[in-house]
Amino acid sequence: MARLLTHPMIDWKDDGTPVAREAGDVYFTAGDGLAETRAVFLQGCGLPEAWAGKTEFTVAETGFGTGLNFLALCELWQAHRPTPDAWLHFVSFEGFPLTEADAARALGAWPELACLAARLLADWPGPVRCVHHLVWPDIGVTLTLHLGDIHDTLPQSQFMADAWFLDGFSPAKNEAMWSADLYGLIAERSKPGASIGTFTVAGAVRRGLTEVGFDVVKAPGHGRKRQRLEARLALASPAKPDIYGLRAHSDPRQKIAILGAGIAGASAAYALTERGADVTVFDPVGPASGASGNPLALMMPRLDAGDTAQARLLIDAYLAARRAYSGMEGAHETTVRQMPKDKAEQTRFAKLLADPPLPLEDLEAISGGGLLHKRALVLEPARIISGLLDNVRVRTGTVEISLQDRLVNAEVFDIIVLATAMETNRQLGWVGLEGRLGQVESVSDATPVQAEAMASGHYALALEDQRLWGATFEKIEDGVPAATSAAARATNADALRQLSPWWQRSATSLPVQSRAAIRATTADRLPLVGAVPDYSAALETFSGMRKGRPVDADAPVLPGIFMVNGFGARGFTWGPWAGRVLAAMCLGGPSPAEVAALEAVSPVRLIVRALKRGEV
């Protein structure tokens, strides 16, 4: 299976109706698509009455297509939003995403949706297997779009729906979207009483829904279709054990303290504030004072040759970061030339290019076996973090906490988020974060240029009159303060000579400034994002893992305590993705990530791994 998805071939009827050539079916009824959506899906699920009085409502859909159903639902939500702070969450699954041009042409038939359509099209995803997540805070809407084969993506999704739109073309023409194994997954992700609306009355669909606990009835159809189906979940599926502590608090009105004002804490603060939480950030020194405080930073993808959960996670994080920083002051788009640092990396690059995870708009080969990363970013960290914290209270000075009582400087909070880097080792005692000392060199007052970057193990950046190169990544004992060294400067100088940017000679003739900071890193190089486990209770609850026994229990967690940490050398890549994941956990709503990704970054994984290895 190719890593990139395939855009569908679209044939256009004379009346403007788009037809998927492979499926041989229309995306909507000619001249009547919006009315059909309103009748079959919106009215079929009892909307807007079903969300009356609720603070959040989740609709899921099989088959995103043109996005018409989503936009019609947003229009209805705007007109009938239950309260000013209520949220509508929309989750959809699409295996063959339209091009932006085809989607724009299709949606152009409805001028009344033009503003919403323009907003959706501005962030239209490419053909990448990923979880595409958008937040529209002004109208209280989130979109979580799982791109890939629904048989892979639906089992990896995490949400609970109040309503479903089943809209995957005709069952006779697109059997994969209506196969029997999907109905149980739909039921597992449905709240008690969840409703379903669909245009089909096929017997296999009725039987499939009935067998998993839905009451199914035929209803009058729309237009030329005589009948359609409505269903309601009568028998809810039992919840599976939450071994990794992934379940959300599901309360959008939270008072939250974030400890740490680096990129981890700032990204979390932004995502939580965007969702309406009352956030205060505490930092002893102030924003961007630690590892996030370099004059410049490079934000480019880390791509693996294999299509693994970790590889997809890294792509999701990169794309989320690029969307988050786009248009921000301090973010500068550039193209990065990345040459292989050794033969092993040259082989990896070749495998990667044989089956690329990103389209040509983002990635292509260059001579010498290297990669050309388009639309990467050179960042000014201080300006980025300032922008993320623009609408957030930030308090500097002494920070005293009691996690048990959820107190920060004697103030009670519903949730405390630890974005405290290496200090987390002392706050929790068991995390075991490793410190890596990173040193960079920089100069100012060089010839002003536009953003430029190159990389090969190390990197060299140019922006306006600044030049920066590095960085080292040396292990340092916990508790040892960061300090620059002549040895690190020499290492970076040698790396700069090998990178050989055009500005090397002029930059190094200026006074060079060295800066060192400690990056908190995990053994597996993945971050820690999620609920903080109760360590002692987890050892007892999961003790059977030492002998290979399965676990049938929820992870014991510290109530209201979360963390975003362990970003290592990729803080600006991980930050926005981690913030959105944390926001879903703290405030409710669908997770903007695969379950495999959530488990891979869960703090509980450290305990699970140690138990399985017999280390605790």
Side-chain angles (χ1 to χ4, degrees), residues 530-552:
V532 174
D534 182 326
Y535 183 69
S536 298
L539 290 182
E540 181 178 350
T541 300
F542 296 160
S543 60
M545 287 185 175
R546 295 188 181 100
K547 298 181 180 180
R549 296 173 187 161
V551 174
D552 189 20

Side-chain angles (χ1 to χ4, degrees), residues 267 274 293 361 383 468:
S267 296
E274 185 180 48
E361 293 86 351
R383 297 179 73 188
L468 182 143

Side-chain angles (χ1 to χ4, degrees), residues 104-313:
R105 181 174 176 180
L107 294 173
W110 295 286
E112 60 267 50
L113 299 178
C115 290
L116 289 169
R119 193 168 188 175
L120 176 63
L121 292 166
D123 275 314
W124 194 260
V128 180
R129 296 179 193 275
C130 67
V131 182
H132 183 73
H133 185 70
L134 303 179
V135 181
W136 295 350
D138 55 320
I139 62 173
V141 170
T142 73
L143 168 64
T144 306
L145 179 55
H146 292 262
L147 294 170
D149 188 322
I150 193 170
H151 295 271
D152 299 324
T153 56
L154 183 55
Q156 284 292 316
S157 63
Q158 177 158 296
F159 64 93
M160 295 298 288
D162 296 280
W164 284 85
F165 301 165
L166 303 189
D167 192 22
F169 291 133
S170 165
K173 297 181 178 181
N174 191 20
E175 294 181 4
M177 288 290 285
W178 302 89
S179 62
D181 59 309
L182 296 181
Y183 298 117
L185 295 169
I186 288 172
E188 288 177 2
R189 287 155 181 77
S190 297
K191 296 177 185 177
S195 58
I196 286 179
T198 185
F199 56 85
T200 183
V201 292
V205 175
R206 299 198 311 271
R207 289 189 296 273
L209 291 173
T210 301
E211 288 172 1
V212 298
F214 285 91
D215 289 333
V216 182
V217 297
K218 293 181 181 179
H222 177 78
R224 290 176 293 176
K225 294 182 179 179
R226 190 167 60 87
Q227 292 179 313
R228 57 182 173 84
L229 290 186
E230 294 180 4
R232 187 169 297 276
L233 185 62
L235 183 63
S237 301
K240 295 180 179 178
D242 183 19
I243 297 172
Y244 288 90
L246 306 183
R247 292 199 183 118
H249 276 215
S250 299
D251 185 352
R253 295 179 291 274
Q254 300 278 15
K255 180 181 178 183
I256 299 176
I258 297 176
L259 309 185
I263 187 59
S267 296
Y270 182 87
L272 289 162
T273 301
E274 185 180 48
R275 286 284 310 276
D278 178 12
V279 177
T280 305
V281 174
F282 296 85
D283 193 282
V285 181
S289 57
S292 302
N294 289 339
L296 298 176
L298 176 61
M299 214 282 295
M300 61 177 280
R302 165 65 168 86
L303 303 176
D304 289 343
D307 185 20
T308 64
Q310 180 173 334
R312 291 191 297 272
L313 164 57

Side-chain angles (χ1 to χ4, degrees), residues 318-378:
Y318 170 67
L319 295 176
R322 196 170 69 185
R323 285 195 301 272
Y325 302 139
S326 178
M328 289 185 67
E329 292 186 5
H332 307 270
E333 187 171 304
T334 190
T335 297
V336 183
R337 293 176 58 87
Q338 183 184 16
M339 300 306 296
K341 61 185 178 183
D342 51 35
K343 286 187 178 280
E345 190 162 75
Q346 187 173 21
T347 300
R348 184 171 71 84
F349 284 3
K351 290 181 179 178
L352 180 70
L353 291 166
D355 187 16
L358 294 173
L360 189 60
E361 293 86 351
D362 295 319
L363 177 71
E364 67 176 273
I366 53 177
S367 61
L371 305 176
L372 191 68
H373 300 281
K374 307 172 187 177
R375 299 195 290 179
L377 298 173
V378 172

Side-chain angles (χ1 to χ4, degrees), residues 413-436:
F413 289 87
D414 298 309
I415 288 174
I416 295 177
V417 178
L418 304 178
T420 45
M422 295 301 294
E423 183 61 25
T424 310
N425 283 344
R426 283 162 283 287
Q427 291 165 336
L428 296 179
W430 57 267
V431 177
L433 286 164
E434 303 171 358
R436 290 292 186 273

